[in-house]
Amino acid sequence: MDIKKIIREQKHKLMWILLFSILLAGIIVFQAFLIVEIIQSIFVENEPFEAVITLLILLFIFLIARVLIIHLIGSVSLRLGFQAKKKIRSQLLNHFSTKTITPTNEDQTGKKISLMLDTVDEVDPYFSEYLPKVIQASTIPITILVVIFFFNYPSGLIILFTAPFIPLFMAIIGMKTRDKSEEQIEQMNAFSAQFLDTLQGLKTLKIFGKSRQSETKIETSTLGFRDATMDVLKVAFASAFMMELISMLSMGLIALEVSFRMIIFDTITFHTAFFVLLLAPEFYVFLKELSSAFHSGRESLTAIKKIDEEISTESQDVSWGNHKLQKDSPSTIKLDNVEMQYPNEGFSLGPINLHIDPYEKIALIGESGSGKTTLFHLLAGLMEPKAGTIYLDGYAKSDVDSSSWFNQLGYLSQNPYIFAGTIAENISLSTNKRVNDQDIWNALKQVELDSLVSTLENGIHTTVGEGGRGLSGGEKQRLALARILVKQPSILLFDEPTTGLDLKTEKVIQNTLEQLTEKMTVITIAHRVKTIQSSDRIWIMEDGKIGADGTHKELKHSNKFYQSLITSTRKENIE
């Protein structure tokens, strides 16, 4: 992740902040000058109140202008932070979506969610607070210092002597903050992962009587996060105290200096002394604000480092090109010496050599862990092979436009994911074409879900998934099948359900698929003998390789695994 690039993209907003800061510096100086003029006229020169009405009106205008400028700086700063977070989240989402899928995901879901939400939010202060305060501290205090030097150089010398202590202390605090912030983010990620994993597996934990034990683990993670947060706050409070102490001592020295010069030595007028005393606090106000923002900025840099580590993690992205595939028929698929190796795992796939013609029906069978799902993901374009080439219509996959491939692809898994949204949204997300309500109802009727949906108060606009109406396993399968019906893909990858479906649901799915798949290429991870026997070809996976390829008639006489599968199925049917 290139932070400098993000900053360059937001350069126009930073330029606006710089312009507003220069205007604010001028307003602060003239505001102080007007206050001194009013006090000088009324209390020193004993002029009537009417003599300062014009000055009071001007002071009111400058006060309004100051509030307006501060509001504008804050507004631009917030937009700067929002755009930066949007850009970073987009980079993270792109990283996660293009990352090769592995069956055993090393990163916890909770950690990813925490990274996308909490850690990215931690980046916000760097853009919305720290950078704007750096610009303000680089313009306003310098302007004030120049004016103070012009009117009373001894006060300027005191400021020059004391001011460096603030950035020096900021650097010391910054080093401490970095370590504490890293510890806090680690604790936050650990807590998020632990909490989400526990919620997802709560039913299992209760069944095995481990809910209390899990509760203790969550409590430990919570206390660890609390302690890490308190350590960060301790550093923040120490930083704030030291900034206040330095600025108070500096102000005391300036007040002492102008008092001696005005009362004892009579070398400075009241007007100048008061003017300097009004400007000096403004100088330190912006340095103290920078100090506070610096602390937040250091925490943000720690968060940026964590995000950068994730984005920089070596992973083989799925490569695509620009060639558009034809739409009138399913693409021919060819795998030429394709191999796949999972990182830090012993399993490897391949080399695989196969050819799939349009409209073929392929059944993929094999023992658990033989590589069926991995081959499925490779065919779908969700994984990048370590070696070899996948050809689509004679073009290497790396030269093919991804959208033209996914537009003709349908995927029906054993555990389809139902997104948080309405039934209509879940069904229509499978296609880019316009889908009206009647199309949705037609699909639901084909999968025999229309009667259930019609009883719901909002019908197809009923919210399901997270935060909505729950669905059974069979209802999820049929809803996912409705997605396929609406999309009408030319190639279907289907992982046949083995358990959890009642006979009626299974029959609905099978009947619908038989009608649907007449005009498409179908590759099925098959578990039912009927599906296997009706396929044009059967692939038997053995230890990451295709051990056998043939028809039902060929394999039932030549392959021992297939023979044992047929025999065991017959025994189950008899029993």
Side-chain angles (χ1 to χ4, degrees), residues 175-370:
M175 290 186 289
K176 188 71 174 176
T177 303
R178 180 186 60 192
D179 298 334
K180 294 296 183 182
S181 298
E182 288 180 358
E183 182 182 346
Q184 183 196 27
I185 289 179
E186 288 291 345
Q187 290 287 348
M188 179 178 66
N189 288 338
F191 169 68
S192 299
Q194 179 72 44
F195 187 68
L196 185 61
D197 288 345
T198 301
L199 282 180
Q200 291 176 332
L202 191 57
K203 187 187 296 183
T204 304
L205 290 170
K206 284 187 175 181
I207 290 172
F208 288 103
K210 298 293 184 180
S211 56
R212 285 289 180 187
Q213 184 177 341
S214 185
E215 182 181 327
T216 304
K217 289 182 179 179
I218 291 177
E219 182 181 3
T220 303
S221 296
T222 306
L223 293 175
F225 179 54
R226 181 200 66 183
D227 293 340
T229 303
M230 291 304 296
D231 287 340
V232 172
L233 290 175
K234 286 176 186 176
V235 175
F237 291 146
S239 174
F241 172 74
M242 290 305 299
M243 294 305 108
E244 289 292 341
L245 182 62
I246 293 171
S247 60
M248 286 172 58
L249 290 174
S250 303
M251 284 300 303
L253 289 173
I254 294 171
L256 185 64
E257 177 264 326
V258 296
S259 298
F260 270 98
R261 292 191 63 203
M262 184 178 69
I263 298 172
I264 299 177
F265 300 104
D266 197 22
T267 56
I268 188 173
T269 63
F270 169 80
H271 187 283
T272 301
F274 191 31
F275 185 52
V276 169
L277 287 174
L278 285 178
L279 286 179
E282 299 282 7
F283 177 91
Y284 289 103
V285 161
F286 288 95
L287 287 185
K288 286 190 293 183
E289 288 181 354
L290 175 61
S291 172
S292 299
F294 178 78
H295 173 76
S296 300
R298 294 302 301 184
E299 291 185 20
S300 296
L301 287 176
T302 303
I304 290 170
K305 181 182 176 183
K306 293 294 179 185
I307 295 170
D308 192 48
E309 286 175 356
E310 173 60 38
I311 293 178
S312 301
T313 302
E314 290 187 8
S315 62
Q316 194 171 10
D317 295 340
V318 180
S319 58
W320 297 95
N322 299 313
H323 176 74
K324 301 282 187 180
L325 296 171
Q326 60 181 357
K327 299 180 180 179
D328 53 346
S329 64
S331 295
T332 301
I333 305 170
K334 179 184 176 183
L335 273 65
D336 184 16
N337 289 317
V338 169
E339 297 180 29
M340 184 65 200
Q341 174 75 54
Y342 293 125
N344 304 321
E345 294 184 26
F347 178 80
S348 62
L349 182 81
I352 301 288
N353 291 282
L354 57 86
H355 187 277
I356 305 171
D357 290 320
Y359 308 110
E360 267 199 299
K361 307 296 184 285
I362 308 293
L364 186 62
I365 64 175
E367 295 180 349
S368 177
S370 60

